[in-house]
Amino acid sequence: MKLVFALTAACAALLLTTPTAFAQQPIVIKFSHVVAVDTPKGKGAERFKQLAEDRTKGRVKVEIYPNSSLFKDGEEMEALQLGSVQILAPSLAKFGPLGVRDFEVFDLPYIFDNYDELHKVTEGKVGKDLFKKLESKGIVGLAYWDNGFKDMSANKPIRMPGDYKGLKMRIQSSKVLGDEMKALGAIPQVMAFSEVYQALQTGVVDGTENPPSNFYTQKMQEVQKYLALTNHGYLGYAVIANKKFWDGLPADIRSALDSAMKDATKYANDIAKKENEDAIEAVKKSGKTEIISLTDAEKAAMKKALAPVHKENESRVGKAVIEEVYKETGFKP
Ligand code: LMR
């Protein structure tokens, strides 16, 4: 009898406490990325966390893992699909291995002259269509975040296409970027972002390409003597979530998170240009890396050398998507 009483009391206690205990557990969103906190993406993620937690009044907790501290390139997409992480913001050059090669349209050399042209694409039909392609992979696209235009670095002055001959250049996992380096006579090496500094330091690779904000915050000025302001291509991000997780959120929470993402996107995109300009100044100030500005003739030679990369990748990236981007940006192949 005593036992029955004790069990009944225990069950009653459980019934009384459990709903409250569950109600108090916040929904945890792990947001993993590979760059430093002090970058456009790092700051955008922090802003999203703050807005998401405020607007859901603590019902959501966003845990940010910067600098590849949770997952690195080559691991994070699978982790997202498996639900080990809920949000990522990989660069648009990292969707090929997932089987969505159309994203590599963003890697085509010189396809965007400025952020305005880029935004016409990300905020237009192409941007939406690309996100639709992610759904069959169990992924939902939430936003496009800017970083900036890439520059080339090495330990020798790189001004003309011929200067790249034989250099081992680290690239992201995009075939378009591989063809870009080959067009310059360089040897492309796909490598996770977290390994680049050490690879440059030890000579595993000779150089790389990135927007200045990534160059500076990864301290590449310590291991690269020259940074050529080539602006030969764009690097930005797709903020993506595990679709099952996102669709399964209570409607009011999802709408608060959508609004937090919208405002964090505006913030991240507003600061990107200046963050990159400031990074060039900081690299100059470090006195360790010489900044090379190309002459008009050198720019024209780079453009000419890289032009064939567009045609070479037409079947991989998709003629239709390339032509839509040309139409939006006015790019003439
Ligand atoms: C890189 O791997 O070079 C970049 O995509 C890193 C990043 O996320 O900006």
Side-chain angles (χ1 to χ4, degrees):
M1 189 63 199
K2 246 186 186 165
L3 183 67
V4 172
F5 178 74
L7 278 174
T8 315
C11 287
L14 198 67
L15 279 174
L16 280 174
T17 56
T18 305
T20 335
F22 276 133
Q24 283 169 353
Q25 290 298 318
I27 297 168
V28 175
I29 295 181
K30 292 190 173 126
F31 184 160
S32 168
H33 67 81
V34 301
V35 296
V37 176
D38 200 13
T39 54
K41 178 162 65 179
K43 290 182 177 178
E46 294 293 334
R47 180 61 67 100
F48 171 70
K49 170 184 168 69
Q50 179 219 320
L51 295 174
E53 292 180 353
D54 282 358
R55 290 180 190 176
T56 58
K57 303 198 169 37
R59 285 167 68 200
V60 166
K61 185 170 180 299
V62 181
E63 293 173 358
I64 300 176
Y65 298 89
N67 268 320
S68 312
S69 55
L70 188 61
F71 295 109
K72 54 183 192 168
D73 291 332
E75 301 171 346
E76 60 174 22
M77 287 288 194
E78 198 185 346
L80 184 76
Q81 289 177 304
L82 291 172
S84 313
V85 61
Q86 287 70 43
I87 298 188
L88 301 175
S91 92
L92 301 164
K94 292 179 183 168
F95 286 79
L98 191 71
V100 196
R101 296 164 170 181
D102 320 42
F103 276 88
E104 290 180 13
V105 71
F106 291 100
D107 299 333
L108 290 169
Y110 300 102
I111 195 161
F112 307 107
D113 276 339
N114 51 53
Y115 288 97
D116 287 343
E117 286 184 7
L118 180 260
H119 292 156
K120 280 194 202 159
V121 174
T122 50
E123 287 164 20
K125 183 176 178 312
V126 172
K128 285 192 188 75
D129 287 352
L130 288 175
F131 275 173
K132 265 190 222 125
K133 296 205 168 198
L134 295 177
E135 294 191 0
S136 63
K137 309 281 175 195
I139 293 174
V140 58
L142 303 178
Y144 290 97
W145 284 5
D146 292 340
N147 189 336
F149 292 85
K150 293 177 290 181
D151 298 317
M152 297 279 199
S153 67
N155 282 323
K156 58 177 273 201
I158 33 177
R159 291 182 164 278
M160 291 290 279
D163 298 331
Y164 292 81
K165 196 166 173 18
L167 291 184
K168 280 177 274 157
M169 297 293 283
R170 178 269 170 176
I171 55 160
Q172 307 171 75
S173 56
S174 154
K175 169 150 183 312
V176 170
L177 298 180
D179 287 349
E180 163 202 280
M181 291 303 179
K182 285 183 197 156
L184 296 172
I187 304 152
Q189 308 254 320
V190 174
M191 185 179 289
F193 189 62
S194 53
E195 285 156 25
V196 180
Y197 178 91
Q198 210 189 351
L200 290 168
Q201 189 181 40
T202 55
V204 168
V205 290
D206 302 307
T208 184
E209 54 160 26
N210 242 298
S213 64
N214 276 348
F215 184 89
Y216 181 67
T217 54
Q218 294 299 315
K219 300 190 171 55
M220 292 185 199
Q221 63 277 7
E222 291 174 359
V223 288
Q224 292 278 264
K225 292 200 176 71
Y226 297 93
L227 179 65
L229 304 183
T230 47
N231 273 270
H232 60 281
Y234 172 77
L235 189 151
Y237 309 106
V239 186
I240 54 178
N242 176 295
K243 184 165 161 45
K244 201 166 157 209
F245 169 80
W246 198 257
D247 291 349
L249 288 168
D252 61 330
I253 296 271
R254 199 172 47 243
S255 103
L257 293 181
D258 280 337
S259 100
M261 184 56 71
K262 189 163 172 255
D263 292 350
T265 299
K266 176 157 182 6
Y267 167 77
N269 293 354
D270 282 351
I271 62 168
K273 186 164 182 280
K274 180 150 189 319
E275 291 280 319
N276 279 299
E277 287 163 358
D278 289 352
I280 294 179
E281 289 312 308
V283 172
K284 266 187 205 157
K285 225 166 126 197
S286 77
K288 292 184 169 151
T289 301
E290 187 181 319
I291 308 273
I292 297 176
S293 296
L294 302 192
T295 63
D296 286 349
E298 286 162 349
K299 277 185 207 156
M302 286 292 286
K303 222 168 180 166
K304 189 167 173 220
L306 292 173
V309 176
H310 285 240
K311 196 92 194 141
E312 275 164 29
N313 284 280
E314 206 174 76
S315 63
R316 175 179 172 87
V317 174
K319 195 165 189 254
V321 71
I322 294 178
E323 277 174 359
E324 277 188 72
V325 176
Y326 287 170
K327 209 169 73 198
E328 292 288 6
T329 63
F331 180 88
K332 299 257 178 314

